[in-house]
Amino acid sequence: MKAVAAGTASLAPFFDEASGLGRDADVRSRPAHGGLQQGDTPGLYGGTGQDTLCDVERLKRYLAEPRNDRKARAWTRALDLRTTAEIPAYLDRLTPVLLRHDTLVKNHDYKKGKAVPFNALLQAGIAILVDERGLPAVKCSCGNPLRPFEGDKSRISVTFDDGNEQWKGYDRSEVVVVRPASRKLERIALVDVEDPGRGVERPVGTSGEEDSAFDTRERRAVPKLIGTTFGEASRRLAGRGLAVAHDGQELPPDGARVTASDPAAGAELRFGAYVTLSVAEDTDGGASGGGSTPPGSTSPPATEDPRSPSAPSSPPSSPRSSPPPSSSGPTGSERPGSPSGTPGPTSPPPPAPSTGTESTPPEKDSPTPPPTRPEVPGTGSPPPGSAEPPPRTTASSPPPAGPVTSTAPPPVTGTPASSPPATGEPAASEASTESAPAERRTRE
């Protein structure tokens, strides 16, 4: 793992660091809950009052020059583009930001006509272009392609050399890995690195000319999340300017059902504060994203309100056409006071299994007199002379709790507690037991 310090020239860049493609800033890395961050996390990236972080038009011209054709083809392959003709449109979809955390990526050198990948730790303050799901895509100062880091964050060993001396404030435990947002973004909520009280909402694909400002000190309420999917809950939180956290080695699948949040709905937090979500270990019967949570996730007691709906209490914030249920929701940016969230999947729950009949045979086959076969100890056979048929203890009905997941509520219908009503309308209130177990925490 090679360290890449802000403002330090690369040894084998795609383009000269002094060519004016971008400039880094002096930013102190900030702690982040768990290290895994989704690309739409409010405040994950920063900005400034100026719009000159990255010169996208100049990068386009460099990649289009005939003398750089071989370089452009290597650049294209590194980013999984089909042809160099796609470069201009691809760059137009990217957004310039500043890293606010020391961030792990797959960087690329340019050597002997090829893009050579290597794992790198980029220092906070480095200017990059991010794609429509908030993933690092290009290092601005040199044009190097960037891809998501795919290794094990807990096993990294960072090498500080080639002028990249260990920077002040480096803390291995605070290193961040970015995962894609659950849907394409329309805006990205940034924090002004020169004035943390000022937030910047930047439309995706713009360089700052269309920014709008907001106050990061304004408090915002945690929305109702129990019963929604993890992907939907993440989008609702992002729409409120709040970040999602999960106490696990990996983020749960988007379809995992949320069973608790910490803090609970209604709590008022500052911009970018974390809300820890707990999800059901088994998402069968309600999760649109499928799959169970990865090892390390925890399930809270079954205390959620059965009335909790999958649908939010307010309309979506974007007038654009609605995407499919697996990627529905608001933009990844935060508009203070604006509604957020779109209805989650409303497919009907699976039919409830009948109770007490699955394992008990019909009583019409039971003879009135006692059985004539020899009594076998421990089988529940009646003593000689009994005039009534014995209870069938060897084929008894399952206990009321049923062998279901640890997060299922008392009823044994097999229907998840978070199944939405037939009308899809949200319930009026949520149970007061929404808060997560004691071991979850929120970092504000």
Side-chain angles (χ1 to χ4, degrees):
M1 178 68 60
K2 183 177 180 179
V4 179
T8 302
S10 301
L11 294 181
F14 269 70
F15 298 102
D16 189 343
E17 299 273 355
S19 60
L21 288 174
R23 61 181 182 84
D24 299 335
D26 184 11
V27 177
R28 180 72 175 265
S29 182
R30 298 173 54 83
H33 184 101
L36 290 176
Q37 303 293 303
Q38 296 187 110
D40 60 349
T41 300
L44 174 63
Y45 300 119
T48 67
Q50 305 175 8
D51 58 1
T52 56
L53 292 177
C54 305
D55 193 334
V56 177
E57 292 304 317
R58 180 173 294 186
L59 180 57
K60 281 184 189 178
R61 291 196 300 271
Y62 282 3
L63 290 169
E65 290 179 4
R67 64 189 177 93
N68 289 328
D69 179 67
R70 189 177 183 186
K71 190 174 291 188
R73 284 186 279 115
W75 195 92
T76 299
R77 286 191 294 270
L79 290 168
D80 287 343
L81 302 179
R82 290 172 296 182
T83 67
T84 56
E86 296 182 6
I87 291 177
Y90 176 75
L91 287 172
D92 284 340
R93 297 193 299 269
L94 304 184
T95 309
V97 299
L98 289 171
L99 294 177
R100 294 184 74 218
H101 308 271
D102 295 343
T103 304
L104 292 171
V105 298
K106 181 184 290 184
N107 198 353
H108 294 78
D109 279 335
Y110 181 71
K111 296 179 178 179
K112 297 180 179 179
K114 296 181 179 180
V116 181
F118 65 96
N119 288 328
L121 175 65
L122 303 186
Q123 184 184 7
I126 288 179
I128 64 170
L129 295 170
V130 297
D131 68 13
E132 295 165 297
R133 291 185 183 266
L135 290 174
V138 178
K139 186 173 180 290
C140 290
S141 63
C142 59
N144 285 5
L146 303 176
R147 300 303 304 269
F149 174 74
E150 298 174 347
D152 186 343
K153 172 183 173 293
S154 64
R155 297 182 179 181
I156 64 170
S157 177
V158 181
T159 300
F160 293 88
D161 58 13
D162 298 327
N164 296 283
E165 290 79 13
Q166 183 167 322
W167 47 81
K168 183 179 180 180
Y170 168 70
D171 186 338
R172 175 175 170 172
S173 67
E174 295 179 1
V175 169
V176 159
V177 174
V178 182
R179 296 291 185 238
S182 58
R183 62 157 292 170
K184 289 184 178 180
L185 309 179
E186 294 178 3
R187 290 173 291 274
I188 299 177
L190 312 175
V191 171
D192 191 328
V193 297
E194 298 170 352
D195 178 11
R198 177 178 178 267
V200 177
E201 190 174 66
R202 178 166 296 171
V204 168
T206 66
S207 298
E209 64 278 4
E210 299 179 29
D211 287 357
S212 57
F214 62 90
D215 189 350
T216 62
R217 296 164 296 188
E218 179 182 342
R219 294 280 176 168
R220 52 218 69 221
V222 177
K224 296 179 180 180
L225 302 171
I226 290 180
T228 65
T229 63
F230 183 82
E232 173 65 18
S234 299
R235 291 188 289 272
R236 290 192 192 183
L237 288 171
R240 296 287 181 93
L242 301 174
V244 64
H246 176 71
D247 292 329
Q249 297 299 318
E250 282 289 341
L251 294 174
D254 282 350
R257 290 286 172 179
V258 175
T259 57
S261 71
D262 181 18
E268 294 190 348
L269 306 174
R270 61 175 176 78
F271 174 81
Y274 287 94
V275 177
T276 302
L277 301 181
S278 297
V279 300
E281 290 184 355
D282 186 357
T283 60
D284 185 37
S288 62
S292 58
T293 58
S297 60
T298 56
S299 298
T303 57
E304 62 177 292
D305 188 341
R307 298 170 296 170
S308 298
S310 295
S313 57
S314 58
S317 59
S318 172
R320 297 191 180 188
S321 59
S322 301
S326 62
S327 61
S328 62
T331 67
S333 60
E334 185 275 341
R335 288 185 178 273
S338 64
S340 61
T342 58
T346 57
S347 58
S354 59
T355 58
T357 61
E358 184 174 301
S359 58
T360 305
E363 289 296 336
K364 66 180 182 178
D365 294 335
S366 303
T368 301
T372 58
R373 61 183 179 183
E375 179 180 348
V376 180
T379 62
S381 300
S386 172
E388 296 295 331
R392 301 231 173 198
T393 59
T394 58
S396 59
S397 300
V404 293
T405 62
S406 60
T407 56
V412 291
T413 62
T415 304
S418 59
S419 297
T423 63
E425 294 296 326
S429 62
E430 197 161 13
S432 60
T433 55
E434 180 179 337
S435 60
E439 66 268 20
R440 284 179 297 275
R441 59 192 176 90
T442 302
R443 184 183 296 238
E444 297 194 2

